[in-house]
Amino acid sequence: MLDQIKGLHHVTSMAKDARQNNDFFTNKLGLRRVKKTVNFDAPDVYHLYYADEVGTPGSVMTYFPFPHIAMGRPGVGEVGTTVFSVPEGALGYWKERFEKHGVTGLKEETTFGENRLVFDGPDGDSFALVEAKGDTRAPWAKGGVAADEAIRGFHSASLRLRDAGKTEELLKYMGYETVDQSGNVKRLAIKDGNGADIIDLETLPGAQFADLGAGSVHHIAFAVENRAKQLEVRKALIDTGYHVTPVIDRDYFWAIYFRTPGGVLFEIATNEPGFDRDEDTAHLGEALKLPTQHAHLRGYLEKQLQPLGN
């Protein structure tokens, strides 16, 4: 069993409209945009990162907004619901805030003994807020939401699968342990993690497979401390039979990717070097930052990319 993985690092999804996406996460959810850059493989498309003040691993929601993308179709073989952590007693504030801002899909429920508020993202993305006990992570408190109610980071993510057995085995190999079960959902958690410690496995036999599009999660990333730990994980996964990519430099972390038995794309990402490697913490996410290989496109991209508004 591996012990290098410390919970979630980030979740990366697809969107249709960059400005709408930016407005939702900064003005409605009160997160900080910590990086404005572009897709490594499609530089005419943004890669936007939203998180706490500094982009702490376990708090980072990222998006590729493709203007002409079709809507995704929910199904199995994908991340289902991405869940954020808020303080106990905060859901009343969030329900009122969401109603004021016209956020759709609101539903209050209790899952695994925790109060949660389900809501839709701008492209029908599946999200929830959970009142998490004892979450001491510091929030971004300058995004229009007071610290007493603000999002702390990720609480969990669910995986929708036809058969969760092999994915459960993989997660246990990655250091997760089964901690609870409710109906067709099994909860796994990692001990001594970074706060974003939980994965829920939702088994849906016979359900249709998901189609990737706007509102879909592209991949889910797990955190390791550094490149040495990442190489240990990579070797162990390869030795177990997984096809893992070489290490890829993503400027703010190093990444490796592999496809899980249930069809979900997993990434292992390093906590280093962080989002302040190319701009001061006080000004994270303000300027357009380009990967070195796309630096020569700056003039073109600054004219082509949709203005975000703030």
Side-chain angles (χ1 to χ4, degrees):
M1 186 179 76
L2 303 177
D3 61 4
Q4 298 91 340
I5 293 167
K6 301 302 179 184
L8 295 180
H9 186 285
H10 64 270
V11 177
T12 294
S13 293
M14 315 292 283
K16 189 172 183 65
D17 185 274
R19 189 182 182 109
Q20 179 188 52
N21 184 263
N22 180 77
D23 175 72
F24 186 86
F25 285 93
T26 60
N27 295 326
K28 294 180 174 62
L29 287 190
L31 297 176
R32 185 182 193 187
R33 190 181 71 228
V34 295
K35 197 61 59 179
K36 180 171 66 170
T37 183
V38 296
N39 187 312
F40 273 73
D41 302 315
D44 56 342
V45 173
Y46 278 119
H47 193 178
L48 303 175
Y49 293 77
Y50 312 101
D52 63 7
E53 182 174 5
V54 296
T56 305
S59 75
V60 186
M61 189 79 208
T62 98
Y63 272 88
F64 301 132
F66 284 85
H68 305 296
I69 195 172
M71 295 302 295
R73 183 186 70 183
V76 294
E78 69 172 352
V79 175
T81 303
T82 302
V83 185
F84 297 97
S85 170
V86 297
E88 288 186 89
L91 288 187
Y93 164 84
W94 282 102
K95 184 180 180 183
E96 182 177 340
R97 180 180 179 86
F98 285 163
E99 289 173 342
K100 177 182 177 182
H101 285 283
V103 176
T104 61
L106 300 182
K107 182 173 67 173
E108 296 177 86
E109 58 186 29
T110 301
T111 305
F112 293 108
E114 297 172 318
N115 295 326
R116 60 194 279 164
L117 178 64
V118 177
F119 63 99
D120 294 335
D123 291 292
D125 326 46
S126 181
F127 290 118
L129 300 176
V130 164
E131 292 184 345
K133 298 177 181 178
D135 189 341
T136 59
R137 291 176 291 173
W140 169 241
K142 298 178 183 178
V145 180
D148 289 344
E149 288 93 16
I151 289 170
R152 267 48 185 166
F154 294 125
H155 168 274
S156 59
S158 70
L159 308 182
R160 298 192 193 113
L161 306 164
R162 278 190 174 177
D163 182 344
K166 290 185 178 179
T167 301
E168 181 181 354
E169 289 179 13
L170 168 63
L171 286 167
K172 287 181 175 178
Y173 183 66
M174 291 168 59
Y176 284 79
E177 299 177 3
T178 301
V179 295
D180 208 345
Q181 182 158 357
S182 177
N184 67 330
V185 180
K186 184 173 287 189
R187 171 158 288 187
L188 289 82
I190 201 156
K191 286 186 176 180
D192 303 318
N194 60 13
D197 303 330
I198 296 170
I199 297 291
D200 289 334
L201 300 180
E202 183 179 6
T203 302
L204 298 167
Q208 66 182 358
F209 282 95
D211 280 340
L212 185 68
S216 302
V217 172
H218 183 270
H219 64 268
I220 183 170
F222 298 83
V224 291
E225 183 180 353
N226 55 41
R227 296 183 71 185
K229 299 291 186 184
Q230 183 184 62
L231 289 174
E232 293 171 3
V233 172
R234 183 176 185 271
K235 182 180 185 303
L237 289 169
I238 290 173
D239 288 347
T240 309
Y242 285 96
H243 298 284
V244 186
T245 67
V247 177
I248 301 172
D249 183 356
R250 295 303 193 194
D251 282 352
Y252 312 108
F253 47 87
W254 283 272
I256 56 175
Y257 303 87
F258 64 103
R259 187 72 62 175
T260 67
V264 182
L265 183 60
F266 276 13
E267 175 184 343
I268 310 297
T270 62
N271 291 349
E272 59 179 9
F275 292 96
D276 60 353
R277 68 171 294 273
D278 59 0
E279 56 187 341
D280 186 85
T281 300
H283 298 286
L284 289 178
E286 294 178 8
L288 177 65
K289 296 297 179 179
L290 298 177
T292 302
Q293 65 266 41
H294 298 317
H296 66 287
L297 298 174
R298 177 170 293 277
Y300 167 78
L301 293 174
E302 288 179 342
K303 293 177 181 177
Q304 290 294 117
L305 291 168
Q306 181 185 17
L308 297 180
N310 64 359

